[in-house]
C-alpha cells in the first residue's frame, strides 16, 4: 500500500476513536471525504505517475474512501444507540402498580380568609348569604342613599352594562335584598337580622401593587332593637382576633359613606410592629382595615324597616386586603397570577 495512503488511513482510525458525538463524526467525514478533504487531496498528486501507477494508486484511494465511509457509518450507528440509551436512562422508571402521587393544590389565600371569616361569623349567629355579581343601579346605589347624579358615585368608577345593569362595585349592593328577606321576621318575631355576604366586586381601577379592578369584600349587617356601635366593635374585634389568632386592638375614626351615619374607618393595631410604628403602618402603629358605621335611616326605610324602632350596623371588610395582611403578600397582583408556586408559598398545601 502507498505510504501516504497508509498514514492517512492510520490518522483517520486514530481520530475515529476519539469521536463522541454525531456532530464530531460529521466534522471528521468532511475533513477526510469532503471536497477539500484529505482523501480528495490525495488525487491531486497523480500528476507525475505512470499509467499503471496511477491506476493502482486510484484503486487504493477508492478502497480507502469505501473503508472510511463504512467506518463512519458504523460509528454513526453506535453513537445513535448510545444517544438513545442515554435518553432512556433519563426517563424515570414507571411502576404501574404504584399508587399515583399527585402534587396537591391549595385553596386560594382569599378563599381561606373568606372561609375563616364566614366560620367565625356563623359561630356568632350570622347567616351566610350569596348574591349576584350583576346588579341594578337601584341595588348598588339608589337603595343605599346614593341617588342618581350624587357626587358620591364618583368614588366608585363603575362598569355599566348595555342593558342598564352594572357589575357590582361593593357588596353593600345586597343590603336591600337582605332587609327585604329577613325584615318580616324581625318585625313579627323580634329576631335581629344578622347576615354576612361575601362577594366579588369590580371597579375600573388601573392595576398596581395595591389596586385591582376585581377584588373581594365581605359585607355584614346586624339590625334589631338597640343595636349600637358597641355591638359593631365587639363583633369586629372577635372576628379579627380569630382570623389573626391573636388579640387585636381596634379603633374607629370618622369616615364618610352615604349609607351609614355615623360612618367610620376601623383600624387595627399594626401586625408587623405591634403598634410601635414601622414602614408598613406609615409609623402610625395602625392599619386601616374596614369601613363601617350605623346604617343610615334612609337605607333601613328603603329596605322596609322602620328606623324609629330599629337600628343596625354595617361593615364592608376588604377580604383581599385582609388576605394580604394575614399572609404578608406585598403585591395584590399575585392573587390573580394563577401560578401555584406563587400562591401556595403563602398558604402551604391546604
Ligand atoms: N361599600 C363600601 C365600599 O366598598 C364599604 C363600606 C363602608 C361598607 C361602610 C359598609 C359600610 O357596610 O358601613 O367602599
Amino acid at each position: 500500500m502507498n505510504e501516504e495512503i497508509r498514514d492517512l488511513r492510520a490518522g483517520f482510525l486514530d481520530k475515529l476513536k476519539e469521536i463522541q458525538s454525531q456532530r464530531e463524526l460529521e466534522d471528521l467525514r468532511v475533513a477526510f471525504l469532503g471536497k477539500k478533504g484529505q482523501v480528495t487531496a490525495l488525487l491531486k498528486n497523480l500528476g507525475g505517475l505512470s499509467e499503471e501507477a496511477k491506476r493502482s494508486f486510484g484503486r487504493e484511494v477508492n478502497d480507502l474512501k469505501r473503508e472510511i465511509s463504512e467506518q463512519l457509518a458504523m460509528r454513526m450507528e453506535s453513537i445513535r444507540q448510545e444517544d438513545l440509551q442515554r435518553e432512556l436512562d433519563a426517563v424515570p422508571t414507571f411502576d404501574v402498580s404504584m399508587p399515583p402521587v399527585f402534587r396537591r393544590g391549595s385553596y386560594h389565600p382569599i378563599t381561606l380568609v373568606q372561609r375563616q371569616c364566614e366560620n367565625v361569623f356563623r359561630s356568632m349567629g350570622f347567616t351566610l348569604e350569596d348574591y349576584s355579581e350583576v346588579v341594578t343601579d337601584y341595588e348598588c346605589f339608589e337603595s343605599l342613599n346614593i341617588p342618581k347624579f350624587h357626587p358620591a358615585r364618583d368614588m366608585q368608577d363603575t362598569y355599566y352594562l348595555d342593558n342598564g345593569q352594572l357589575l357590582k362595585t361593593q357588596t353593600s349592593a345586597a343590603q336591600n335584598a337582605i332587609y327585604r328577606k329577613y325584615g318580616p321576621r324581625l318585625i313579627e318575631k323580634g329576631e335581629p337580622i344578622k347576615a354576612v355576604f361575601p362577594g366579588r366586586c369590580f371597579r375600573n381601577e388601573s392595576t398596581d401593587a395595591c389596586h385591582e379592578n376585581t377584588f373581594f369584600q365581605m359585607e355584614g349587617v346586624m339590625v334589631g332593637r338597640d343595636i349600637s356601635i358597641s355591638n359593631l366593635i365587639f363583633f369586629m374585634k372577635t372576628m379579627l382576633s380569630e382570623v389573626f389568632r391573636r388579640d387585636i386592638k381596634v379603633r374607629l375614626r370618622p369616615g364618610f359613606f352615604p349609607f351609614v351615619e355615623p360612618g367610620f374607618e376601623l383600624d387595627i393595631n399594626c401586625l408587623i410592629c405591634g403598634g410601635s410604628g414601622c414602614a408598613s403602618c406609615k409609623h402610625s402603629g395602625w392599619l386601616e382595615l374596614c369601613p363601617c358605621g350605623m346604617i343610615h335611616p334612609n337605607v333601613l326605610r328603603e329596605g322596609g324597616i322602620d328606623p324609629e324602632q330599629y337600628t343596625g350596623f354595617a361593615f364592608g371588610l376588604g377580604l383581599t386586603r385582609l388576605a394580604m395582611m394575614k399572609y404578608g403578600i406585598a403585591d395584590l397582583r399575585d392573587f390573580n397570577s394563577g401560578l401555584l408556586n406563587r400562591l401556595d408559598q403563602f398558604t402551604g398545601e391546604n
Side-chain angles (χ1 to χ4, degrees), residues 211-248:
H211 296 90
E212 257 290 10
N213 50 27
T214 305
F215 52 94
F216 292 81
Q217 292 185 335
M218 188 159 102
E219 188 98 356
V221 292
M222 177 168 184
V223 183
R225 283 194 195 274
D226 303 323
I227 301 297
S228 73
I229 296 169
S230 331
N231 299 103
L232 168 68
I233 295 175
F234 167 78
F235 283 112
M236 295 311 289
K237 204 168 144 44
T238 311
M239 190 276 294
L240 292 168
S241 299
E242 286 285 330
V243 169
F244 289 106
R245 298 190 204 285
R246 58 179 120 154
D247 194 34
I248 297 285

mmCIF file of all heavy atoms in Angstrom, residues 211-248:
data_model
loop_
_atom_site.group_PDB
_atom_site.id
_atom_site.type_symbol
_atom_site.label_atom_id
_atom_site.label_comp_id
_atom_site.label_asym_id
_atom_site.label_seq_id
_atom_site.Cartn_x
_atom_site.Cartn_y
_atom_site.Cartn_z
ATOM 1 N N HIS A 211 -53.805 48.014 43.841
ATOM 2 C CA HIS A 211 -55.125 48.209 43.229
ATOM 3 C C HIS A 211 -55.382 47.160 42.162
ATOM 4 O O HIS A 211 -54.496 46.804 41.413
ATOM 5 C CB HIS A 211 -55.231 49.593 42.577
ATOM 6 C CG HIS A 211 -55.133 50.705 43.553
ATOM 7 N ND1 HIS A 211 -53.938 51.272 43.896
ATOM 8 C CD2 HIS A 211 -56.081 51.331 44.283
ATOM 9 C CE1 HIS A 211 -54.149 52.220 44.797
ATOM 10 N NE2 HIS A 211 -55.444 52.269 45.060
ATOM 11 N N GLU A 212 -56.627 46.694 42.125
ATOM 12 C CA GLU A 212 -57.049 45.743 41.101
ATOM 13 C C GLU A 212 -58.443 46.132 40.675
ATOM 14 O O GLU A 212 -59.200 46.699 41.473
ATOM 15 C CB GLU A 212 -57.096 44.320 41.689
ATOM 16 C CG GLU A 212 -55.931 43.432 41.298
ATOM 17 C CD GLU A 212 -55.925 43.018 39.840
ATOM 18 O OE1 GLU A 212 -56.723 43.548 39.027
ATOM 19 O OE2 GLU A 212 -55.096 42.180 39.488
ATOM 20 N N ASN A 213 -58.818 45.785 39.450
ATOM 21 C CA ASN A 213 -60.194 46.096 39.038
ATOM 22 C C ASN A 213 -61.186 45.050 39.544
ATOM 23 O O ASN A 213 -62.386 45.221 39.435
ATOM 24 C CB ASN A 213 -60.275 46.232 37.516
ATOM 25 C CG ASN A 213 -59.640 45.059 36.825
ATOM 26 O OD1 ASN A 213 -59.593 43.955 37.384
ATOM 27 N ND2 ASN A 213 -59.143 45.274 35.623
ATOM 28 N N THR A 214 -60.687 43.964 40.102
ATOM 29 C CA THR A 214 -61.549 42.918 40.644
ATOM 30 C C THR A 214 -61.033 42.556 42.034
ATOM 31 O O THR A 214 -59.851 42.267 42.177
ATOM 32 C CB THR A 214 -61.478 41.671 39.744
ATOM 33 O OG1 THR A 214 -61.804 42.067 38.418
ATOM 34 C CG2 THR A 214 -62.429 40.598 40.203
ATOM 35 N N PHE A 215 -61.893 42.604 43.028
ATOM 36 C CA PHE A 215 -61.429 42.325 44.393
ATOM 37 C C PHE A 215 -62.595 41.764 45.212
ATOM 38 O O PHE A 215 -63.736 41.762 44.749
ATOM 39 C CB PHE A 215 -60.875 43.603 45.045
ATOM 40 C CG PHE A 215 -61.821 44.759 44.971
ATOM 41 C CD1 PHE A 215 -62.696 45.042 46.023
ATOM 42 C CD2 PHE A 215 -61.880 45.552 43.835
ATOM 43 C CE1 PHE A 215 -63.596 46.091 45.939
ATOM 44 C CE2 PHE A 215 -62.779 46.609 43.747
ATOM 45 C CZ PHE A 215 -63.634 46.868 44.799
ATOM 46 N N PHE A 216 -62.267 41.296 46.386
ATOM 47 C CA PHE A 216 -63.285 40.604 47.191
ATOM 48 C C PHE A 216 -63.574 41.363 48.487
ATOM 49 O O PHE A 216 -62.643 41.853 49.128
ATOM 50 C CB PHE A 216 -62.823 39.182 47.525
ATOM 51 C CG PHE A 216 -62.776 38.307 46.319
ATOM 52 C CD1 PHE A 216 -61.703 38.356 45.445
ATOM 53 C CD2 PHE A 216 -63.830 37.456 46.032
ATOM 54 C CE1 PHE A 216 -61.675 37.567 44.311
ATOM 55 C CE2 PHE A 216 -63.805 36.656 44.898
ATOM 56 C CZ PHE A 216 -62.730 36.713 44.041
ATOM 57 N N GLN A 217 -64.837 41.435 48.809
ATOM 58 C CA GLN A 217 -65.245 42.057 50.071
ATOM 59 C C GLN A 217 -66.140 41.092 50.822
ATOM 60 O O GLN A 217 -66.670 40.145 50.257
ATOM 61 C CB GLN A 217 -66.076 43.327 49.803
ATOM 62 C CG GLN A 217 -65.330 44.473 49.182
ATOM 63 C CD GLN A 217 -66.210 45.716 49.080
ATOM 64 O OE1 GLN A 217 -67.438 45.626 49.027
ATOM 65 N NE2 GLN A 217 -65.582 46.871 49.044
ATOM 66 N N MET A 218 -66.317 41.376 52.099
ATOM 67 C CA MET A 218 -67.361 40.673 52.840
ATOM 68 C C MET A 218 -68.128 41.711 53.638
ATOM 69 O O MET A 218 -67.562 42.401 54.480
ATOM 70 C CB MET A 218 -66.796 39.618 53.761
ATOM 71 C CG MET A 218 -67.924 38.791 54.337
ATOM 72 S SD MET A 218 -67.311 37.220 54.908
ATOM 73 C CE MET A 218 -67.281 37.570 56.599
ATOM 74 N N GLU A 219 -69.394 41.795 53.312
ATOM 75 C CA GLU A 219 -70.254 42.774 53.980
ATOM 76 C C GLU A 219 -70.965 42.078 55.130
ATOM 77 O O GLU A 219 -71.234 40.869 55.053
ATOM 78 C CB GLU A 219 -71.291 43.254 52.959
ATOM 79 C CG GLU A 219 -72.132 44.395 53.419
ATOM 80 C CD GLU A 219 -71.597 45.730 52.900
ATOM 81 O OE1 GLU A 219 -70.528 45.741 52.252
ATOM 82 O OE2 GLU A 219 -72.257 46.744 53.162
ATOM 83 N N GLY A 220 -71.236 42.807 56.167
ATOM 84 C CA GLY A 220 -72.014 42.233 57.259
ATOM 85 C C GLY A 220 -72.980 43.277 57.789
ATOM 86 O O GLY A 220 -72.675 44.477 57.780
ATOM 87 N N VAL A 221 -74.156 42.820 58.200
ATOM 88 C CA VAL A 221 -75.114 43.751 58.818
ATOM 89 C C VAL A 221 -75.737 43.086 60.038
ATOM 90 O O VAL A 221 -75.862 41.860 60.108
ATOM 91 C CB VAL A 221 -76.260 44.157 57.853
ATOM 92 C CG1 VAL A 221 -75.744 45.011 56.712
ATOM 93 C CG2 VAL A 221 -77.008 42.953 57.326
ATOM 94 N N MET A 222 -76.081 43.932 60.981
ATOM 95 C CA MET A 222 -76.879 43.451 62.110
ATOM 96 C C MET A 222 -77.913 44.537 62.402
ATOM 97 O O MET A 222 -77.566 45.711 62.572
ATOM 98 C CB MET A 222 -75.996 43.232 63.326
ATOM 99 C CG MET A 222 -76.790 42.807 64.536
ATOM 100 S SD MET A 222 -75.705 42.233 65.852
ATOM 101 C CE MET A 222 -76.930 41.707 67.030
ATOM 102 N N VAL A 223 -79.186 44.151 62.413
ATOM 103 C CA VAL A 223 -80.265 45.122 62.633
ATOM 104 C C VAL A 223 -81.205 44.562 63.695
ATOM 105 O O VAL A 223 -81.553 43.378 63.654
ATOM 106 C CB VAL A 223 -81.074 45.383 61.331
ATOM 107 C CG1 VAL A 223 -82.132 46.457 61.571
ATOM 108 C CG2 VAL A 223 -80.163 45.793 60.190
ATOM 109 N N GLY A 224 -81.568 45.393 64.641
ATOM 110 C CA GLY A 224 -82.502 44.946 65.673
ATOM 111 C C GLY A 224 -82.847 46.126 66.565
ATOM 112 O O GLY A 224 -82.619 47.278 66.197
ATOM 113 N N ARG A 225 -83.348 45.809 67.735
ATOM 114 C CA ARG A 225 -83.624 46.901 68.677
ATOM 115 C C ARG A 225 -82.346 47.214 69.438
ATOM 116 O O ARG A 225 -81.604 46.312 69.822
ATOM 117 C CB ARG A 225 -84.716 46.481 69.661
ATOM 118 C CG ARG A 225 -86.087 46.547 69.026
ATOM 119 C CD ARG A 225 -87.181 46.465 70.081
ATOM 120 N NE ARG A 225 -88.458 46.180 69.419
ATOM 121 C CZ ARG A 225 -89.243 47.119 68.922
ATOM 122 N NH1 ARG A 225 -88.901 48.399 69.003
ATOM 123 N NH2 ARG A 225 -90.381 46.783 68.341
ATOM 124 N N ASP A 226 -82.085 48.488 69.647
ATOM 125 C CA ASP A 226 -80.946 48.953 70.463
ATOM 126 C C ASP A 226 -79.583 48.433 70.010
ATOM 127 O O ASP A 226 -78.714 48.160 70.830
ATOM 128 C CB ASP A 226 -81.155 48.547 71.945
ATOM 129 C CG ASP A 226 -82.465 49.086 72.485
ATOM 130 O OD1 ASP A 226 -82.810 50.219 72.102
ATOM 131 O OD2 ASP A 226 -83.131 48.367 73.254
ATOM 132 N N ILE A 227 -79.433 48.221 68.738
ATOM 133 C CA ILE A 227 -78.091 47.840 68.251
ATOM 134 C C ILE A 227 -77.244 49.110 68.196
ATOM 135 O O ILE A 227 -77.693 50.144 67.698
ATOM 136 C CB ILE A 227 -78.164 47.200 66.850
ATOM 137 C CG1 ILE A 227 -79.054 45.962 66.854
ATOM 138 C CG2 ILE A 227 -76.750 46.855 66.347
ATOM 139 C CD1 ILE A 227 -78.568 44.829 67.722
ATOM 140 N N SER A 228 -76.039 49.041 68.737
ATOM 141 C CA SER A 228 -75.214 50.246 68.802
ATOM 142 C C SER A 228 -73.806 49.974 68.287
ATOM 143 O O SER A 228 -73.453 48.841 67.942
ATOM 144 C CB SER A 228 -75.135 50.737 70.247
ATOM 145 O OG SER A 228 -74.295 49.863 70.968
ATOM 146 N N ILE A 229 -73.002 51.010 68.333
ATOM 147 C CA ILE A 229 -71.614 50.890 67.861
ATOM 148 C C ILE A 229 -70.826 49.888 68.723
ATOM 149 O O ILE A 229 -69.912 49.234 68.232
ATOM 150 C CB ILE A 229 -70.939 52.276 67.883
ATOM 151 C CG1 ILE A 229 -71.656 53.183 66.884
ATOM 152 C CG2 ILE A 229 -69.476 52.189 67.527
ATOM 153 C CD1 ILE A 229 -71.281 54.626 66.992
ATOM 154 N N SER A 230 -71.215 49.756 69.995
ATOM 155 C CA SER A 230 -70.502 48.783 70.846
ATOM 156 C C SER A 230 -70.643 47.386 70.278
ATOM 157 O O SER A 230 -69.700 46.581 70.320
ATOM 158 C CB SER A 230 -71.057 48.747 72.275
ATOM 159 O OG SER A 230 -71.574 49.956 72.619
ATOM 160 N N ASN A 231 -71.847 47.059 69.742
ATOM 161 C CA ASN A 231 -72.026 45.736 69.138
ATOM 162 C C ASN A 231 -71.079 45.566 67.951
ATOM 163 O O ASN A 231 -70.446 44.520 67.787
ATOM 164 C CB ASN A 231 -73.472 45.551 68.640
ATOM 165 C CG ASN A 231 -74.478 45.643 69.761
ATOM 166 O OD1 ASN A 231 -75.157 46.654 69.919
ATOM 167 N ND2 ASN A 231 -74.554 44.601 70.573
ATOM 168 N N LEU A 232 -70.992 46.613 67.161
ATOM 169 C CA LEU A 232 -70.105 46.567 65.994
ATOM 170 C C LEU A 232 -68.667 46.290 66.432
ATOM 171 O O LEU A 232 -67.998 45.387 65.910
ATOM 172 C CB LEU A 232 -70.185 47.907 65.250
ATOM 173 C CG LEU A 232 -69.116 48.144 64.185
ATOM 174 C CD1 LEU A 232 -69.307 47.207 63.017
ATOM 175 C CD2 LEU A 232 -69.154 49.586 63.692
ATOM 176 N N ILE A 233 -68.198 47.035 67.413
ATOM 177 C CA ILE A 233 -66.808 46.879 67.874
ATOM 178 C C ILE A 233 -66.590 45.462 68.406
ATOM 179 O O ILE A 233 -65.596 44.806 68.083
ATOM 180 C CB ILE A 233 -66.464 47.935 68.943
ATOM 181 C CG1 ILE A 233 -66.502 49.327 68.307
ATOM 182 C CG2 ILE A 233 -65.095 47.669 69.554
ATOM 183 C CD1 ILE A 233 -66.293 50.475 69.272
ATOM 184 N N PHE A 234 -67.541 44.958 69.158
ATOM 185 C CA PHE A 234 -67.389 43.619 69.728
ATOM 186 C C PHE A 234 -67.233 42.566 68.631
ATOM 187 O O PHE A 234 -66.316 41.748 68.638
ATOM 188 C CB PHE A 234 -68.589 43.254 70.618
ATOM 189 C CG PHE A 234 -68.615 41.795 70.967
ATOM 190 C CD1 PHE A 234 -67.782 41.291 71.962
ATOM 191 C CD2 PHE A 234 -69.425 40.902 70.271
ATOM 192 C CE1 PHE A 234 -67.765 39.934 72.259
ATOM 193 C CE2 PHE A 234 -69.423 39.547 70.568
ATOM 194 C CZ PHE A 234 -68.587 39.063 71.565
ATOM 195 N N PHE A 235 -68.161 42.599 67.649
ATOM 196 C CA PHE A 235 -68.122 41.557 66.620
ATOM 197 C C PHE A 235 -66.859 41.654 65.761
ATOM 198 O O PHE A 235 -66.258 40.653 65.401
ATOM 199 C CB PHE A 235 -69.378 41.623 65.736
ATOM 200 C CG PHE A 235 -70.581 41.032 66.417
ATOM 201 C CD1 PHE A 235 -71.652 41.816 66.811
ATOM 202 C CD2 PHE A 235 -70.637 39.660 66.663
ATOM 203 C CE1 PHE A 235 -72.753 41.263 67.449
ATOM 204 C CE2 PHE A 235 -71.743 39.097 67.300
ATOM 205 C CZ PHE A 235 -72.800 39.909 67.695
ATOM 206 N N MET A 236 -66.470 42.879 65.447
ATOM 207 C CA MET A 236 -65.282 43.027 64.597
ATOM 208 C C MET A 236 -64.027 42.562 65.329
ATOM 209 O O MET A 236 -63.173 41.892 64.768
ATOM 210 C CB MET A 236 -65.109 44.490 64.158
ATOM 211 C CG MET A 236 -66.200 45.001 63.268
ATOM 212 S SD MET A 236 -66.557 43.896 61.890
ATOM 213 C CE MET A 236 -65.129 44.106 60.888
ATOM 214 N N LYS A 237 -63.932 42.940 66.591
ATOM 215 C CA LYS A 237 -62.746 42.578 67.376
ATOM 216 C C LYS A 237 -62.648 41.055 67.521
ATOM 217 O O LYS A 237 -61.582 40.468 67.361
ATOM 218 C CB LYS A 237 -62.873 43.235 68.757
ATOM 219 C CG LYS A 237 -61.561 43.461 69.451
ATOM 220 C CD LYS A 237 -61.819 44.376 70.630
ATOM 221 C CE LYS A 237 -60.996 44.085 71.839
ATOM 222 N NZ LYS A 237 -59.632 43.814 71.759
ATOM 223 N N THR A 238 -63.788 40.422 67.781
ATOM 224 C CA THR A 238 -63.799 38.963 67.947
ATOM 225 C C THR A 238 -63.389 38.283 66.645
ATOM 226 O O THR A 238 -62.539 37.387 66.618
ATOM 227 C CB THR A 238 -65.206 38.473 68.348
ATOM 228 O OG1 THR A 238 -65.663 39.265 69.415
ATOM 229 C CG2 THR A 238 -65.207 37.009 68.716
ATOM 230 N N MET A 239 -63.986 38.744 65.550
ATOM 231 C CA MET A 239 -63.708 38.109 64.265
ATOM 232 C C MET A 239 -62.226 38.269 63.907
ATOM 233 O O MET A 239 -61.560 37.301 63.522
ATOM 234 C CB MET A 239 -64.601 38.749 63.197
ATOM 235 C CG MET A 239 -64.600 38.061 61.867
ATOM 236 S SD MET A 239 -63.253 38.535 60.812
ATOM 237 C CE MET A 239 -63.643 40.221 60.500
ATOM 238 N N LEU A 240 -61.697 39.456 64.054
ATOM 239 C CA LEU A 240 -60.303 39.694 63.644
ATOM 240 C C LEU A 240 -59.317 38.944 64.543
ATOM 241 O O LEU A 240 -58.307 38.421 64.069
ATOM 242 C CB LEU A 240 -60.005 41.196 63.656
ATOM 243 C CG LEU A 240 -60.777 41.970 62.573
ATOM 244 C CD1 LEU A 240 -60.695 43.464 62.800
ATOM 245 C CD2 LEU A 240 -60.266 41.608 61.193
ATOM 246 N N SER A 241 -59.636 38.855 65.820
ATOM 247 C CA SER A 241 -58.741 38.116 66.719
ATOM 248 C C SER A 241 -58.699 36.640 66.337
ATOM 249 O O SER A 241 -57.668 35.985 66.431
ATOM 250 C CB SER A 241 -59.185 38.260 68.176
ATOM 251 O OG SER A 241 -59.147 39.621 68.537
ATOM 252 N N GLU A 242 -59.848 36.114 65.873
ATOM 253 C CA GLU A 242 -59.884 34.711 65.414
ATOM 254 C C GLU A 242 -59.074 34.539 64.149
ATOM 255 O O GLU A 242 -58.288 33.598 64.019
ATOM 256 C CB GLU A 242 -61.337 34.294 65.118
ATOM 257 C CG GLU A 242 -62.199 34.071 66.329
ATOM 258 C CD GLU A 242 -61.871 32.753 67.023
ATOM 259 O OE1 GLU A 242 -61.455 31.811 66.330
ATOM 260 O OE2 GLU A 242 -62.011 32.699 68.251
ATOM 261 N N VAL A 243 -59.278 35.450 63.206
ATOM 262 C CA VAL A 243 -58.603 35.310 61.914
ATOM 263 C C VAL A 243 -57.088 35.420 62.081
ATOM 264 O O VAL A 243 -56.325 34.646 61.506
ATOM 265 C CB VAL A 243 -59.116 36.365 60.907
ATOM 266 C CG1 VAL A 243 -58.232 36.418 59.652
ATOM 267 C CG2 VAL A 243 -60.548 36.052 60.508
ATOM 268 N N PHE A 244 -56.648 36.359 62.894
ATOM 269 C CA PHE A 244 -55.203 36.546 63.054
ATOM 270 C C PHE A 244 -54.634 35.719 64.208
ATOM 271 O O PHE A 244 -53.442 35.746 64.467
ATOM 272 C CB PHE A 244 -54.871 38.032 63.259
ATOM 273 C CG PHE A 244 -55.069 38.840 62.009
ATOM 274 C CD1 PHE A 244 -56.141 39.694 61.875
ATOM 275 C CD2 PHE A 244 -54.185 38.718 60.951
ATOM 276 C CE1 PHE A 244 -56.324 40.430 60.712
ATOM 277 C CE2 PHE A 244 -54.358 39.448 59.782
ATOM 278 C CZ PHE A 244 -55.430 40.300 59.670
ATOM 279 N N ARG A 245 -55.518 35.018 64.901
ATOM 280 C CA ARG A 245 -55.110 34.160 66.022
ATOM 281 C C ARG A 245 -54.299 34.904 67.072
ATOM 282 O O ARG A 245 -53.280 34.428 67.559
ATOM 283 C CB ARG A 245 -54.320 32.944 65.521
ATOM 284 C CG ARG A 245 -55.143 32.065 64.607
ATOM 285 C CD ARG A 245 -54.425 30.767 64.320
ATOM 286 N NE ARG A 245 -54.891 30.185 63.080
ATOM 287 C CZ ARG A 245 -56.059 29.561 62.914
ATOM 288 N NH1 ARG A 245 -56.864 29.426 63.915
ATOM 289 N NH2 ARG A 245 -56.399 29.068 61.754
ATOM 290 N N ARG A 246 -54.667 36.120 67.339
ATOM 291 C CA ARG A 246 -54.073 36.863 68.461
ATOM 292 C C ARG A 246 -55.018 38.012 68.795
ATOM 293 O O ARG A 246 -55.910 38.339 68.004
ATOM 294 C CB ARG A 246 -52.690 37.386 68.119
ATOM 295 C CG ARG A 246 -52.630 38.299 66.909
ATOM 296 C CD ARG A 246 -51.213 38.768 66.704
ATOM 297 N NE ARG A 246 -50.746 38.343 65.397
ATOM 298 C CZ ARG A 246 -49.785 38.977 64.726
ATOM 299 N NH1 ARG A 246 -49.160 39.973 65.275
ATOM 300 N NH2 ARG A 246 -49.426 38.597 63.530
ATOM 301 N N ASP A 247 -54.780 38.608 69.958
ATOM 302 C CA ASP A 247 -55.681 39.675 70.378
ATOM 303 C C ASP A 247 -55.435 40.913 69.519
ATOM 304 O O ASP A 247 -54.307 41.377 69.396
ATOM 305 C CB ASP A 247 -55.429 39.991 71.856
ATOM 306 C CG ASP A 247 -56.567 40.836 72.404
ATOM 307 O OD1 ASP A 247 -57.715 40.628 71.951
ATOM 308 O OD2 ASP A 247 -56.296 41.709 73.243
ATOM 309 N N ILE A 248 -56.495 41.399 68.909
ATOM 310 C CA ILE A 248 -56.354 42.538 68.010
ATOM 311 C C ILE A 248 -56.996 43.765 68.651
ATOM 312 O O ILE A 248 -58.096 43.684 69.188
ATOM 313 C CB ILE A 248 -57.081 42.230 66.671
ATOM 314 C CG1 ILE A 248 -56.437 41.033 65.967
ATOM 315 C CG2 ILE A 248 -57.135 43.447 65.777
ATOM 316 C CD1 ILE A 248 -55.117 41.316 65.317
#
